[in-house]
């Protein structure tokens, strides 16, 4: 086994991104297995050192509800991650969304981009991902195309 000096281990940990607490992974797992939510919105918390659930939408929520939630948060100049459970032709796929609206500050955009892979790794079962900075990039047509690309027989 390889032994690293403590200062090197701390440096590696700080470069890996924000923490994904167990309760966030649990919400994702419930969404995946129990179909408990249509989507979850994930925000940075604790001075950008962790992520937390900003919203858990009921399974009855629509894609328009999702877009309204993202647009409302864009008005706050904040970026978010989201996981959307999209059903197409009786098949559902979990799609990870990185939402970094144009008016989001540069630091937050960098944080979203640099930690995205670390967050996705915690969510076993995500079929694909979308990066979006405006409404066109997260339209329902875009989501459908992403879902189709994740399915074999469509």
């Amino acid at each position: 086994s390889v032994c690293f000096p403590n200062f090197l281990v701390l440096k590696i940990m700080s470069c890996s991104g924000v923490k994904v607490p167990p309760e966030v992974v649990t919400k994702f797992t419930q969404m995946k297995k129990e179909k408990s939510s249509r989507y979850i919105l994930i925000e940075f918390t604790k001075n950008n050192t962790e992520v937390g659930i900003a919203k858990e939408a009921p399974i009855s929520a629509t894609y328009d509800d999702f877009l309204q939630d993202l647009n409302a948060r864009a008005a706050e100049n904040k970026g978010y991650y989201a996981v959307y459970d999209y059903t197409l032709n009786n098949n559902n796929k979990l799609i990870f969304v990185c939402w970094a609206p144009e008016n989001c500050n540069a630091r937050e955009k960098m944080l979203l981009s640099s930690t995205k892979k670390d967050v996705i790794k915690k969510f076993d079962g995500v079929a694909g991902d979308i990066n979006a900075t405006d409404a066109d990039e997260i339209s329902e047509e875009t989501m459908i195309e992403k879902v189709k690309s994740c399915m074999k027989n469509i």
Side-chain angles (χ1 to χ4, degrees), residues 18 20 35 41-42 47 57 70 76 104 110 115-117 120 131 140 152:
V18 298
V20 181
K35 304 293 180 213
L41 297 181
I42 302 161
N47 293 321
L70 289 182
E76 300 169 2
C104 184
M110 286 176 39
T115 60
K116 179 181 130 181
K117 286 183 182 179
I120 289 176
N131 293 312
E140 190 161 12
K152 294 178 181 172

Side-chain angles (χ1 to χ4, degrees), residues 33-45:
K33 291 183 177 178
E34 300 170 14
K35 304 293 180 213
S36 60
S37 306
R38 177 62 57 207
Y39 60 90
I40 53 176
L41 297 181
I42 302 161
E43 66 184 341
F44 294 112
T45 61

Side-chain angles (χ1 to χ4, degrees), residues 63 66-67 70-71 74 78-81 96-104 109 112 116 129-139 142-143:
Y63 201 79
F66 176 62
L67 294 177
L70 289 182
N71 286 325
K78 289 183 74 174
Y80 284 80
Y81 296 125
F96 186 89
V97 175
C98 181
W99 174 244
E102 292 292 333
N103 61 344
C104 184
K109 285 181 184 180
L112 283 162
K116 179 181 130 181
D129 65 276
I130 296 173
N131 293 312
T133 60
D134 62 35
D136 289 339
E137 293 176 337
I138 194 59
S139 68
T142 302
M143 179 65 75

